[in-house]
Amino acid sequence: MNLIETTLKKTIQYAIKKAFDTDIELDEIVVEEPKSKEHGDYATNVAMRLSKVLRQNPKAIAEKLLHELESKEDGIRKAEIAGPGFINFFMEAGSLSEVIAKVLSEDKDFGKTVCEDKRRWNVEYVSANPTGDLHPGHARGASIGDSLTRIMKTAGYDVTREYYINDAGNQINNMAKSLQARYLQSYGIDITVPEDGYHGKDLIEIAETVVSEVGDAYKDVDIEESLPFFRQIGLREETKKLRDDLWTFNVEFDVWTSEQSVYDRGLVERALKQLTDNGNTYVSEEATWLRTTEFGDDKDRVLVRGNGLYTYLLPDIAYHLNKKDRGFDVLIDLLGADHHGYIARLKAAIQALGYPSSDLEVDIIQMARMLKDGEEFKMSKRTGKAVSLKDLIEEAGVDAVRYYFVSRAGDTHMDLDLDMASKQSNENPVYYAQYAHARMCSILRNADVQPATSFELIIHPKESELCKIMFEFPQMVKDAAQTRQPHKVCNYIQKLASAFHAFYNECQVLNLEDARLSAQRLGLVKAVQITLRNALTLIGVGAPEKM
RNA sequence: GCGGCCGUAGCUCAGUUGGAUAGAGCGAGCGCCUCCUAAGCGCUAGGUCACCGGUUCAACUCCGGUCGGUCGCGCCA
């Protein structure tokens, strides 16, 4: 809630008290910005909402409130009743321009708020297996996860960003065998990559790295004997590539946790014991089961197979327990849509461990469907016929790709036309925002005076619009954090950039006859530039000074 | 068959605890640079918000059903 809206709400609350002797919570009063300018700067529907309680018709209620509202000041220039009972407020222009000084003084900190939620949050995202390149689905998860954590931090949350490296399962053995085959192939040995192995070109490149490091040292070694070597070096290289690609994509993590280390530290046994101690496991047909049905899953799940090996689920539970043990109150997992069947058992598991269901929040990131020549382009990491994150970045650039993925809600399906991606340079919305920023910087560069420190001349409609939008920024960030919807930041960016372009077209800033107005507008431009830059930073997109 | 997600303009998508005439970008048409970046601005065209019913003063929004798309439903990971 921004300053102006809060003030308005209090004014309304006071008016209701005075007119009807009725108390109403501040939270119950809705003040919003009408879609149409004719309906004023802000509007409230309290009269309609009170209609039922007070047993009076909305318009009559509004009339009485209006009488009280007009006797107050609080920057309200005019209030009027419209439609079925809305009260519209027209603000004194000067009250809006207050935000400029606030933005200028807070600068990089504008948008930050204090959070009443003091819990420790852990957000896990991407967590792609170290068996090949990141694909567009991972890119979407990375964009959203990284942006979400930036937004949550700005909204005052205590957040740790985490990546879980699945370096212990079957898929790693397959990767090792595939790498081994590529290595041997490079010495002309007739051996094929296993059917269920990984056929991507990344392993051919890693095989070349192996050759350059150890030469033919493993050429004649027994296949079984050399496998651990390829496993180890394959993991090292694949993990390094993941980190590098994510770094290039401007995506960072605070903690990288290895699945192998979960085993090595005995956490799996600890988790199994805790589940059993809580009475939530049983043995049937030689396997150990978790009673997930007790916690809402549709069937119980196997933890330890009949052959004594663990299923994927158990170490994963151990990993989540470990996160709790490390002191995190709430765990957020951003999972790909192909794992949504996994949510129920994970939520069940956290309860079986003895924690409330709300300690784990799983958000699904829907797949991005790739289109090429108007047809779906199926991807598979295993066969190597995949578009990688690196390919995407080369085609469209980091900023465009990130913006594209973050601009859509994570739970909706989306299409990405690969042909469009290459020619997206002029069509992508990210350039619209970046161009606005570059324009502002250009004005600031060309200015030969200092920005003003008071802004009473900022009363033009286009200027007031910019002020209103800036006022919204901190609340918008908070809202995006709470609802875990980074795309709201993109919507905001579009709105701010659009308002600026409109202002730019109508209002000259530099070299005006009225030097005071020029300096005040310069301050406005500086404030908008700060706000836009801060917003772009929230989603990891650059704010160029020139284009 | 069961379950998750989705269905809004030609395309890709927004739509703030249910509110006034449902929006943006791209694409289409028409205008705007003697002036701070025209990667921009203004205007126009384009909609039975998949369909049916219910709740409400008020439904794109909430509930039920139907149709369509998509993903998942292993002692795989």
Side-chain angles (χ1 to χ4, degrees), chain A residues 32-34 36-37 39-43 77 88-93 96 464-465 468:
Chain A
E32 56 186 4
E33 207 179 318
S36 164
K37 296 268 178 294
H39 297 131
D41 295 310
Y42 297 98
R77 177 165 57 85
N88 296 334
F89 298 96
F90 295 81
M91 308 304 290
E92 291 292 350
L96 292 170
S464 298
E465 183 62 20
K468 269 197 287 183

Side-chain angles (χ1 to χ4, degrees), chain A residues 110 403 433 465-477 486-499 528 531-532 534-536 538:
Chain A
F110 179 60
Y403 195 92
E465 183 62 20
L466 282 170
C467 290
K468 269 197 287 183
I469 296 171
M470 285 193 285
F471 257 121
E472 289 172 26
F473 186 58
Q475 178 60 29
M476 181 280 299
V477 174
H487 76 273
K488 290 186 172 180
V489 175
C490 288
N491 292 345
Y492 180 85
I493 287 169
Q494 287 301 306
K495 190 171 163 186
L496 183 62
S498 168
V528 176
T531 308
L532 184 56
N534 289 1
L536 287 167
L538 284 177

Side-chain angles (χ1 to χ4, degrees), chain A residues 187-251:
Chain A
Y187 283 102
I189 294 170
D190 184 22
I191 180 171
T192 55
V193 174
E195 188 61 31
D196 54 356
Y198 294 90
H199 299 246
K201 63 179 189 301
D202 55 298
L203 285 178
I204 299 175
E205 288 161 11
I206 292 176
E208 286 167 9
T209 306
V210 177
V211 170
S212 70
E213 281 187 17
V214 301
D216 62 1
Y218 289 87
K219 182 181 146 207
D220 300 316
V221 179
D222 178 75
I223 284 193
E224 286 304 317
E225 225 170 278
S226 68
L227 196 59
F229 166 78
F230 287 104
R231 181 189 163 95
Q232 180 248 327
I233 201 158
L235 269 177
R236 189 193 76 193
E237 290 301 312
E238 290 286 10
T239 307
K240 181 177 179 302
K241 248 167 8 79
L242 286 176
R243 289 176 187 252
D244 288 350
D245 286 356
L246 288 165
W247 179 262
T248 304
F249 201 44
N250 212 2
V251 172

